[in-house]
Amino acid sequence: MSFKVLIDNKELTFEKKVRLKDLTQNNKNYIAALVNGRVRELDYDLHYDASIKFLTTSDSLATGVYERGIRFIFAMACHNLFKNIRFRLFYSISRSIFAHIEDGEMQLTNSIVKQIDSEMRRIVEADYLFERIIVSNEEAAELYKKFNLNDKLDILSFRPEKTVHFYQVNGYLNYMYGKMVPSTGYLKDFKLLFYPPGILIQYPRSENNGKIPQFKDEPIFQETLEGSDAWSSLVGLSTVSDINKKAKVLQATNLINICENRHNRMLVELGQQIESNINNIRLICIAGPSSSGKTTFADRLTLELLSRGINPIRISLDDYYKTRENIPLDEDGAPDYETIEALDIELFNENILSLLAGEEVIVPSFDFKQNKRLFNRKLKINRKDPIIIEGIHALNEDMTPLIPKHIKFKIYISPQAQINLDYENPISLTDIRLIRRIVRDAKYRGSDAEETLSMWPSVRRGEFKWIYKTQEDADYVFDSFLNYELCVMKKYALPLLNEIDKDSEYGPDAERLTKLLKYFFDIDEQFIPCNSILKEFIGGSCYRDVEP
């Protein structure tokens, strides 16, 4: 029976099944394909009517497939060169992957990095096939033991499925929890950099037009990531299996409190820093990407300072938005609420300077339903009390050009998770925030998951343009991740993700997040303290239970 295929507005008819790779004429710039809205590997056999879009590294869905392949051949190269050495991979600075030795006593050197790079390029040049193999969980366990993949063995018991999909490349087996390219020859574009004590692996990024980003050292970001990893390792919460085991062995209350106490300790540390220099600090600026927990954090910091006899006032940059008709448009022709030009910078600076001078000021509050500012809030502070400002541009010097830099204390907040499914499969920091936002938008804004996912690319563009670069100018970075949180968010997020049709353009995102969440053990949220950052997303906060 014949079927029709539409590619680039060109219709083709076939009498028998056809492999997607053959339709590309083996063009290795194509990494995967969208078939009727679903991501398919290029080895997929098509036998029905379909609309096809072939994906390159300029497409975010293809970037994930490509990056997965790079992690695979990195692990394969290390296995070929050093049988008893295992590297653990994390998402890291400069939009790259950081690899450090987890198992083994080898001292990493620049020479060793060059050996790994050379072996990876040999593997790519050989153009070995990625052969998918489906085995039972019992067979998978034996293969994990054979290839010294004990970290994968640990998580096997938490898989709801009865089978495992391996990929075999020239006799080497591994599993990266997702779709792959047809062969290693597709993975020519990568860079390895010796970055003591590990290796940075760079790869093409869709937000960089499918090119490898120029390396940019980010020491403060790196220090924060190392701190997150060190704490997770110290308390035994570095992997999903670690977290699940703790959730089973400990009472849920204890696991929750261990993580929450870390936040408490960080707030005390932060309060001490501010108190020690309170004679100079007048403006406390809080910023971070979407769904980092800025609102609850600002509430908790306010109370921390009040307990030290410091009486701050709070101002949100959201109240300084211009009216909709005065907001610049983004590349899609929609109002760009991420740009700094959407804010009334002149009025904001005027208000802040007046407050710092001890004057009483009527500041705006923005009514988004009426699309206008309401000037109904009077503020005044003592000359020694600080002002807390919160918003995505709070750390941007262009937002406060008239305020002397030496009186500002800048705080960057974001979940800086360094946890893994297993050594070669880190969990995305961005996906953690996306899950938070999906849950929050459904509860507080009446938005379904598909609507949230539709806005996410615009949010991400704004983050890359305006937010991430400000982290390196921060005086303090607050890691808002809670190692137990996905055990709780699973209950809220999965039903929302399951509402998205598989053929939707957001089906691939829903599938990716669903696959991640299914590995986590369920935890009842009743033991989460009411001042937890997590309550900002699931509800029940003691600060407010209205739209954050």
Side-chain angles (χ1 to χ4, degrees):
M1 183 176 179
S2 65
F3 59 95
K4 298 182 185 300
V5 175
L6 184 65
I7 305 174
D8 295 330
N9 295 320
K10 182 180 179 181
E11 188 175 88
L12 304 172
T13 301
F14 296 92
E15 299 298 328
K16 59 181 180 179
K17 67 181 181 181
V18 60
R19 185 157 293 187
L20 291 175
K21 183 173 68 174
D22 295 335
L23 295 177
T24 70
Q25 298 179 342
N26 293 320
N27 184 342
K28 287 185 168 59
N29 290 320
Y30 294 124
I31 306 304
L34 271 180
V35 179
N36 292 341
R38 298 187 67 179
V39 177
R40 298 290 189 184
E41 293 180 331
L42 294 180
D43 278 336
Y44 180 76
D45 288 328
L46 193 65
H47 55 87
Y48 51 84
D49 292 346
S51 175
I52 298 173
K53 178 188 177 184
F54 289 108
L55 305 174
T56 70
T57 50
S58 296
D59 302 288
S60 60
L61 294 171
T63 299
V65 177
Y66 193 95
E67 179 247 326
R68 206 173 291 127
I70 292 294
R71 285 190 276 115
F72 189 105
I73 64 170
F74 176 85
M76 179 180 175
C78 294
H79 173 82
N80 292 348
L81 293 169
F82 323 108
K83 297 293 183 187
N84 298 317
I85 301 296
R86 291 290 305 285
F87 283 81
R88 189 170 167 208
L89 308 182
F90 301 97
Y91 292 113
S92 188
I93 66 169
S94 199
R95 296 182 251 181
S96 63
I97 299 166
F98 182 71
H100 75 75
I101 295 173
E102 186 80 9
D103 290 342
E105 298 180 357
M106 180 176 69
Q107 182 67 39
L108 193 62
T109 64
N110 194 43
S111 175
I112 290 173
V113 175
K114 288 180 178 178
Q115 287 182 56
I116 298 172
D117 184 279
S118 179
E119 176 63 7
M120 288 177 69
R121 296 193 185 280
R122 185 197 67 78
I123 292 168
V124 170
E125 189 64 29
D127 201 17
Y128 297 126
L129 294 177
F130 278 92
E131 300 176 88
R132 189 164 66 161
I133 301 171
I134 302 176
V135 300
S136 68
N137 286 355
E138 292 73 22
E139 292 172 299
E142 293 303 315
L143 287 169
Y144 286 150
K145 292 174 185 176
K146 176 182 176 181
F147 285 91
N148 191 31
L149 302 173
N150 293 325
D151 49 307
K152 294 182 187 291
L153 187 62
D154 287 342
I155 200 173
L156 190 60
S157 62
F158 299 106
R159 280 179 59 84
E161 296 88 359
K162 301 298 183 183
T163 60
V164 175
H165 291 207
F166 276 100
Y167 286 87
Q168 178 174 264
V169 176
N170 194 38
Y172 174 76
L173 282 89
N174 209 326
Y175 177 48
M176 298 295 169
Y177 303 88
K179 295 174 174 60
M180 305 294 282
V181 291
S183 65
T184 59
Y186 285 73
L187 304 168
K188 292 183 177 180
D189 200 9
F190 64 88
K191 290 182 181 178
L192 264 58
L193 302 174
F194 183 34
Y195 191 85
I199 304 170
L200 285 178
I201 308 168
Q202 294 186 290
Y203 57 95
R205 301 279 303 213
S206 59
E207 70 275 3
N208 201 46
N209 217 17
K211 305 295 184 184
I212 295 176
Q214 183 177 357
F215 172 72
K216 181 182 179 183
D217 199 9
E218 298 168 302
I220 291 179
F221 185 24
Q222 177 66 15
E223 182 181 354
T224 306
L225 295 176
E226 289 176 356
S228 177
D229 176 43
W231 183 83
S232 296
S233 298
L234 180 67
V235 297
L237 294 172
S238 293
T239 66
V240 175
S241 59
D242 288 340
I243 294 168
N244 288 344
K245 288 174 184 176
K246 279 284 198 300
K248 283 187 171 184
V249 173
L250 295 175
Q251 290 185 348
T253 317
N254 292 333
L255 174 59
I256 290 169
N257 285 334
I258 286 170
C259 300
E260 294 289 346
N261 283 343
R262 177 174 178 245
H263 278 187
N264 295 339
R265 190 175 71 247
M266 292 168 68
L267 277 160
V268 170
E269 179 183 76
L270 182 54
Q272 289 171 341
Q273 284 191 27
I274 294 172
E275 183 181 24
S276 68
N277 196 30
I278 193 59
N279 290 331
N280 297 316
I281 296 172
R282 302 304 313 282
L283 200 62
I284 299 172
C285 312
I286 302 172
S290 174
S291 303
S292 291
K294 293 184 290 292
T295 303
T296 301
F297 169 75
D299 287 325
R300 292 182 66 172
L301 178 59
T302 299
L303 290 176
E304 176 65 32
L305 296 179
L306 286 170
S307 75
R308 297 171 182 273
I310 300 168
N311 301 290
I313 60 170
R314 294 262 303 276
I315 293 179
S316 172
L317 291 183
D318 286 357
D319 289 326
Y320 287 84
Y321 270 116
K322 299 174 182 176
T323 55
R324 183 183 178 92
E325 57 271 15
N326 293 316
I327 288 179
L329 302 180
D330 63 16
E331 60 188 56
D332 298 323
D336 186 359
Y337 289 100
E338 309 297 324
T339 177
I340 195 170
E341 296 173 4
L343 299 170
D344 191 335
I345 298 174
E346 183 178 352
L347 177 62
F348 176 76
N349 280 265
E350 180 184 318
N351 286 171
I352 295 297
L353 287 170
S354 297
L355 286 167
L356 293 177
E359 301 175 20
E360 183 176 84
V361 177
I362 300 177
V363 299
S365 59
F366 198 92
D367 188 319
F368 286 91
K369 291 181 179 178
Q370 298 185 56
N371 185 36
K372 67 178 183 179
R373 294 188 198 131
L374 305 175
F375 289 87
N376 54 6
R377 184 184 177 205
K378 291 182 180 181
L379 291 178
K380 186 177 181 180
I381 58 171
N382 295 323
R383 288 183 177 271
K384 290 187 177 180
D385 289 330
I387 302 169
I388 294 177
I389 64 169
E390 170 210 338
I392 64 173
H393 295 289
L395 270 59
N396 190 335
E397 283 297 317
D398 291 337
M399 189 68 221
T400 54
L402 302 180
I403 314 299
K405 193 170 183 178
H406 72 275
I407 68 171
K408 302 172 191 174
F409 188 89
K410 296 182 177 182
I411 303 169
Y412 185 92
I413 175 173
S414 180
Q416 309 280 33
Q418 293 283 268
I419 60 171
N420 299 62
L421 285 167
D422 55 51
Y423 286 179
E424 288 95 17
N425 289 276
I427 292 177
S428 164
L429 284 68
T430 303
D431 280 348
I432 291 168
R433 292 191 294 108
L434 178 53
I435 290 168
R436 286 179 172 187
R437 179 152 178 162
I438 287 170
V439 171
R440 183 200 67 183
D441 284 1
K443 180 170 182 63
Y444 290 107
R445 300 180 180 179
S447 302
D448 58 25
E450 193 159 349
E451 184 177 351
T452 298
L453 287 168
S454 72
M455 296 185 295
W456 194 241
S458 175
V459 171
R460 293 282 287 153
R461 285 196 297 269
E463 291 170 351
F464 280 111
K465 185 174 182 179
W466 299 108
I467 299 177
Y468 293 140
K469 62 184 179 182
T470 65
Q471 179 169 348
E472 291 302 304
D473 196 33
D475 297 294
Y476 192 95
V477 180
F478 189 92
D479 177 10
S480 68
F481 180 63
L482 293 157
N483 293 57
Y484 74 84
E485 70 176 79
L486 293 179
C487 295
V488 175
M489 299 297 268
K490 175 182 179 180
K491 166 186 171 182
Y492 292 90
L494 284 180
L496 299 170
L497 294 168
N498 288 336
E499 290 176 359
I500 297 177
D501 191 281
K502 290 183 178 180
D503 293 331
S504 162
E505 65 177 295
Y506 306 108
D509 295 305
E511 180 183 22
R512 183 186 74 255
L513 298 176
T514 298
K515 284 183 175 179
L516 168 63
L517 288 166
K518 72 181 181 183
Y519 284 101
F520 284 87
F521 187 76
D522 290 300
I523 287 182
D524 194 326
E525 74 271 19
Q526 65 174 311
F527 301 115
I528 300 174
C530 68
N531 68 344
S532 171
I533 279 176
L534 201 58
K535 290 287 190 176
E536 183 173 319
F537 306 98
I538 66 174
S541 171
C542 56
Y543 300 113
R544 61 181 63 79
D545 199 13
V546 297
E547 180 178 331

